Amino acid sequence: MQNSTNMTMFFLTAYGDNSNMRYLYFTSTLLGFLFILFANLVIIAVIASDHKLHEPMYIFICCLALNGLYGSCAFYPSCMANLLSETPAISRTGCFIQIFCLHTYGCFEYSILALMAYDRYLSICHPLIYNSIMTPSKMVQFLVFVFIYPICFFCIHISLTIRLPLCGFIITKVFCDNWSVVRLSCVDASVNNVFGLCFIAVVMITPIFVVLYSYIRILAVCVKTSKEARSKALETCTPHLLAFVNYNIAAFFEVVQHRFDLSNTSPISRIIMSVDFILLPPLLNPIIYGIKMQEIRKRIRRTFFSTKPNYVEV
């Protein structure tokens, strides 16, 4: 076995022999990446350019779109390069950078979704004090927290991985992830495994509980309100619920791959399951919010489909 000090590359075997379909896969991936860039940039541009949308709910949607771009840029360029390569591989440094970016992307996604749920809870359950709680300074503090704490927590996690001596260089996925590298360790990695479970509990389970608690309280309030109030609450909450369910399904597949033996499933199924968390949310979130959020939908329509210079919406 190679000593870790001499190991400078990891080989990604999940790409297989794609010589016959290489350019088709590359073109499909490129088109998907370009659509993700376009759709998320449209959402960001619409929110940033309209002062009426500079409210917490829309700022959080903008952060969700920015995070989608961050995660996509950490995955797609490397993936496309490997699709055209005879021997798909990634450098040791590049691997750890990708691990950091993809894992923090996943943490940010959960944190932002939890913050959005809390914002909806305050808006619907405590409308009279909402503006006094969700002030611009408080909103900035919330955003700093949801981005900083996953970074600090994951820095410890990845430090435990970097210290491991490795006796292998084969990663059976299309990208680098922390658990795949830990499995290559020459020594016992129980500490990494235990800390990994704690990491999942903090960055995944805790936000899920925050979202569930928020929507239980929202549901309890909506039951007692008028039909018009329920309709307005549903309009603002539905996109968030769709985005939350979408990401949980994608993240669930990734966690299942790490913790259970899926050797009996087809390679294509395993690849799809492993990339769902980076493929579906950045792809679907801008569509969900662009279609479901009335104010965003109006401004997108005004930007791309209005031919009248003095167009006024009724």
Side-chain angles (χ1 to χ4, degrees):
M1 288 290 183
Q2 283 187 318
N3 187 282
S4 62
T5 56
N6 298 323
M7 196 177 302
T8 59
M9 300 292 292
F10 292 104
F11 294 95
L12 307 171
T13 59
Y15 288 94
D17 182 14
N18 62 356
S19 55
N20 295 330
M21 306 289 287
R22 178 181 302 168
Y23 295 107
L24 175 62
Y25 291 153
F26 174 83
T27 303
S28 301
T29 305
L30 176 62
L31 291 175
F33 182 48
L34 291 177
F35 179 80
I36 287 172
L37 292 178
F38 173 76
N40 284 280
L41 286 173
V42 166
I43 295 294
I44 294 168
V46 165
I47 293 173
S49 63
D50 195 322
H51 289 287
K52 293 181 180 179
L53 298 182
H54 292 179
E55 299 175 3
M57 176 174 63
Y58 298 108
I59 297 298
F60 298 151
I61 292 172
C62 186
C63 289
L64 206 62
L66 282 169
N67 190 49
L69 292 178
Y70 167 62
S72 298
C73 290
F75 169 71
Y76 282 95
S78 172
C79 176
M80 289 187 289
N82 280 315
L83 284 171
L84 296 180
S85 174
E86 294 290 340
T87 55
I90 187 169
S91 69
R92 182 187 177 97
T93 301
C95 181
F96 283 113
I97 291 174
Q98 188 174 63
I99 288 172
F100 179 84
C101 292
L102 291 182
H103 283 72
T104 51
Y105 151 78
C107 299
F108 295 156
E109 194 83 2
Y110 266 117
S111 299
I112 296 169
L113 289 171
L115 182 57
M116 292 172 73
Y118 177 68
D119 175 71
R120 291 301 83 208
Y121 159 72
L122 289 177
S123 176
I124 295 170
C125 300
H126 302 285
L128 298 180
I129 61 172
Y130 174 78
N131 289 327
S132 63
I133 296 177
M134 197 60 74
T135 61
S137 61
K138 184 66 72 174
M139 182 182 66
V140 171
Q141 291 174 22
F142 281 135
L143 286 174
V144 169
F145 175 75
V146 301
F147 283 108
I148 292 299
Y149 97 84
I151 291 177
C152 295
F153 210 77
F154 189 72
C155 281
I156 301 173
H157 196 25
I158 197 170
S159 297
L160 293 173
T161 303
I162 292 173
R163 72 181 177 85
L164 293 173
L166 305 180
C167 289
F169 51 85
I170 302 297
I171 294 177
T172 58
K173 298 181 76 170
V174 295
F175 61 90
C176 277
D177 71 279
N178 192 67
W179 183 244
S180 294
V181 175
V182 169
R183 291 172 63 183
L184 300 176
S185 172
C186 304
V187 298
D188 180 63
S190 299
V191 174
N192 297 71
N193 191 32
V194 172
F195 191 86
L197 292 174
C198 295
F199 180 76
I200 290 173
V202 171
V203 303
M204 289 181 61
I205 307 302
T206 303
I208 289 173
F209 276 117
V210 171
V211 174
L212 290 178
Y213 173 80
S214 299
Y215 276 101
I216 289 172
R217 294 295 300 273
I218 289 171
L219 182 61
V221 169
C222 289
V223 169
K224 302 174 183 178
T225 57
S226 65
K227 184 177 180 180
E228 182 180 352
R230 286 198 299 270
S231 177
K232 186 176 180 180
L234 184 65
E235 180 185 344
T236 59
C237 291
T238 299
H240 178 263
L241 276 174
L242 291 174
F244 179 69
V245 171
N246 171 37
Y247 187 70
N248 268 284
I249 292 173
F252 172 77
F253 284 143
E254 180 65 4
V255 172
V256 166
Q257 276 215 129
H258 287 169
R259 298 296 169 181
F260 299 96
D261 182 16
L262 300 179
S263 56
N264 293 329
T265 59
S266 68
I268 296 296
S269 298
R270 292 199 299 273
I271 292 172
I272 293 174
M273 288 172 66
S274 69
V275 300
D276 269 354
F277 85 105
I278 192 62
L279 173 64
L280 293 181
L283 188 66
L284 297 183
N285 284 350
I287 297 174
I288 291 171
Y289 285 106
I291 293 174
K292 289 293 184 180
M293 297 298 289
Q294 185 179 10
E295 292 302 319
I296 295 178
R297 186 173 68 247
K298 283 181 180 179
R299 281 154 180 78
I300 291 175
R301 187 182 301 156
R302 179 184 299 178
T303 301
F304 290 98
F305 302 106
S306 175
T307 56
K308 298 179 182 180
N310 297 318
Y311 178 76
V312 178
E313 294 206 21
V314 181

